[in-house]
Amino acid sequence: MFCNQCEQTAKGTGCTVLGVCGKKPDVAALQDLLLHALKGLSLYAHAGRQVGVVEPAIDRFTVGAMFSTLTNVNFDAQRFIPLINQCVEYRDVLKTKVSAAGGKVTFEDPSAGFQPAADLDGLVKQGEAVGMVNDHTADADIQSLQQILVYGLKGIAAYADHAAILGQSDDAVYGFIYQGMAALTDKDLTLNDWVGLVLKCGEVNLRVMELLDAANTGKFGHPVPTSVPLGHKSGKCILVSGHDLQDLADLLAQTEGKGIYVYTHGEMLPAHGYPELKKYPHFYGHYGTAWQNQKKEFAAFPGAILMTTNCIQDPQGYTDNIFTTGQVGWPGVQHVKNGDFAPVIERALALPGFPSDEDKGSVLVGFARNTVMGVAGKVIEAVKNGDIKHFFLVAGCDGAKPGRNYYTEFVEKAPADTVILTLACGKFRFFDKKLGDIGGIPRLLDIGQCNDAYSAIQIAVALANAFQCEVNDLPLSLILSWYEQKAVAILLTLLYLGIKNIRLGPSLPAFISPNVLDVLVKNFNIKPITTPDEDLAAILNK
C-alpha cells in the first residue's frame, strides 16, 4: 500500500505497511480500486454531459463512493465490494446511453474497460496493481498536482454528499468531479493545465460549501449563540459523532419521550446552536473532545454511540456499543441504514447510562455568519476605536501527531485586544478556554464545523466590504491546521479566492512537491507555522 493523503502519514512521506489511521493494506487497495473504477465511470459521465446525458442517481452514488475513501470513514473491506461492482455497472449504463446519444465512448485508459474480480482477494490484487489514481509516468510536479486535485475532489464529494442528503445539489459540482477524474487519463495536459484544474477545484468547493450552508440553515435554521454543558445528566444516553445533522435530527425525533439524553461528540458540538435541533429538551450537552481521543472517551461512555461521518477509530473494547451509518464502516460494527436508529436506541436502553448529574461547565457555540453579521456594526466600531486590534482564524482539523499544542499556546498567548474565530475540530485544543470579551463581544467565537467554512469566508468578505478593502488587507490572519481531504478542498478554495499569508501546520502535505510548494509560497505566501511567539510577533508587528 501507499497512502499519503492525511497529515499524519508515516514518516511524513506515506504509509506503506499499515495506515496510521488504522487502515489495513487490503482496504487501502480496495479504495484505490474504487477510485480507479470511478475514473472509468467519470470518462463516460463527462462525455455524457457533452451530449445531454445526465443521471442523477449515478451522481449521488459517485459522491458517496468517493466520500467512503476519505481518511477515517470506511475501514470495512466487505463494504467496498458492492461499491466497486455498482460503479462498473453504472459506468456501463452510461456508456450505452452516451453511445445512443452520439457521444464519445472509446477511451484508451484501462479504467474504461475495467472488470472487477469475482472475489475479495482478486479485488485486492487488482487494487494493488492499479495503485494510487494518478499518472505514475508523469513528472513529480504533475503527479503532485494530480494528487492535490484528487484529494480536493474527495473533499468536494464529502460536502456534496452532506448537501444532497438535505436536498441541495448543483449539476455543475458533479460535472466538475467527473471532469477532474477524467482529466487523470489525459497525458497531454501541461503543468499549467493542472494548476488551473486545482484552482478550479477550489472554486467548485466554494459552491458546494454554499450549498451545504443553505441546506443546513434551510432545514435547521441559522445557528444562534448557545451555551452547551460539558457535563451530563443522570440517565440513559446516546453519543453522536461526525458531521451529519440529518442523522442527529432523526435520532432526536426517534428518542423523544424515551428517557434518553442525546450528547454530541467532536464536530457535532456546533449542532447545539441550530434552532430546529435545540428545541428537543433531551438534546443535552457535549461529551469528550476531538476524534483522536475517542478510544479512551468512548470506552468510558455508558451508552450507545453513533458515528455519522468520518472520524471513527478502532472501537476495540466497545464494539457492541458503537454503530455506524452513512458512508462509515468498521468490520464487526453494526451498520444502520435509512435513518432507522432503533438498534442504537435499543442498545442505549440496555446500557446503564450515567448514574448521576455532573457539572463540568459549558462552552459557547453558534457564532456562524448570521450571528456575527448581526453584530457587525458593533464589531466594526470596536475595530475603529482600537478596542479590537486583530482577528485570528485559528481553525482546521485536530490530530494526534506532536506539534498541535502550538494552536493551544497560540490562542492562550494572543493579546487581550484580539478576537479568535474558530471552526472544525482543531478548536478542541482550546474550545473551553475562558478568554473573556471585548465590549460584550466574546473573544472566542465558534463558527461551527469544518462544513461551516463558508460562514468564515462570508464573515471575512463582509468585514472587507465594511472597511472597503480586500480580505488580504484586513487585520485578519489565518492560522490553519489540516488533517484530511476536506481541509485540502477548503485550502484550495482560499487559494482560488486569492487569500494570502496563510500559516499552515503542523506539517506541510507530503503530496506537495518542492516546486509546487515554491509556487504556493511565491504566489500566496503560504508558510509553515513556527512557534506561537514568533508567529504572533511577525503578524502583529508588521
Side-chain angles (χ1 to χ4, degrees), residues 75-92:
F75 294 81
D76 189 347
Q78 293 295 329
R79 291 268 301 280
F80 284 99
I81 298 174
L83 287 173
I84 293 166
N85 288 325
Q86 182 68 77
C87 186
V88 171
E89 289 178 20
Y90 276 148
R91 181 200 68 196
D92 292 344

Side-chain angles (χ1 to χ4, degrees), residues 412-534:
E412 290 175 338
K413 291 184 173 181
D417 56 5
T418 63
V419 172
I420 310 295
L421 306 170
T422 190
L423 55 81
C425 64
K427 64 171 162 273
F428 288 108
R429 293 280 166 170
F430 50 81
F431 80 123
D432 55 354
K433 302 292 180 184
K434 304 304 179 185
L435 302 183
D437 65 89
I438 300 175
I441 301 168
R443 285 194 58 229
L444 180 59
L445 300 176
D446 184 358
I447 298 172
Q449 300 179 340
C450 69
N451 295 15
D452 298 311
Y454 182 77
S455 261
I457 290 169
Q458 292 306 304
I459 290 169
V461 170
L463 287 173
N465 290 337
F467 287 106
Q468 298 182 334
C469 67
E470 298 296 321
V471 171
N472 288 319
D473 297 323
L474 286 170
L476 168 68
S477 299
L478 276 61
I479 317 296
L480 305 183
S481 56
W482 80 281
Y483 177 71
E484 45 83 77
Q485 296 79 66
K486 286 187 284 186
V488 174
I490 293 171
L491 179 61
L492 295 183
T493 294
L494 296 174
L495 299 183
Y496 159 72
L497 292 171
I499 306 298
K500 296 183 178 180
N501 304 313
I502 297 170
R503 283 172 166 79
L504 185 64
S507 61
L508 296 178
F511 46 82
I512 295 183
S513 68
N515 287 335
V516 172
L517 178 60
D518 187 55
V519 169
L520 294 177
V521 171
K522 288 180 179 177
N523 291 328
F524 300 99
N525 200 27
I526 284 184
K527 58 193 72 176
I529 59 173
T530 58
T531 69
D533 290 320
E534 290 176 25

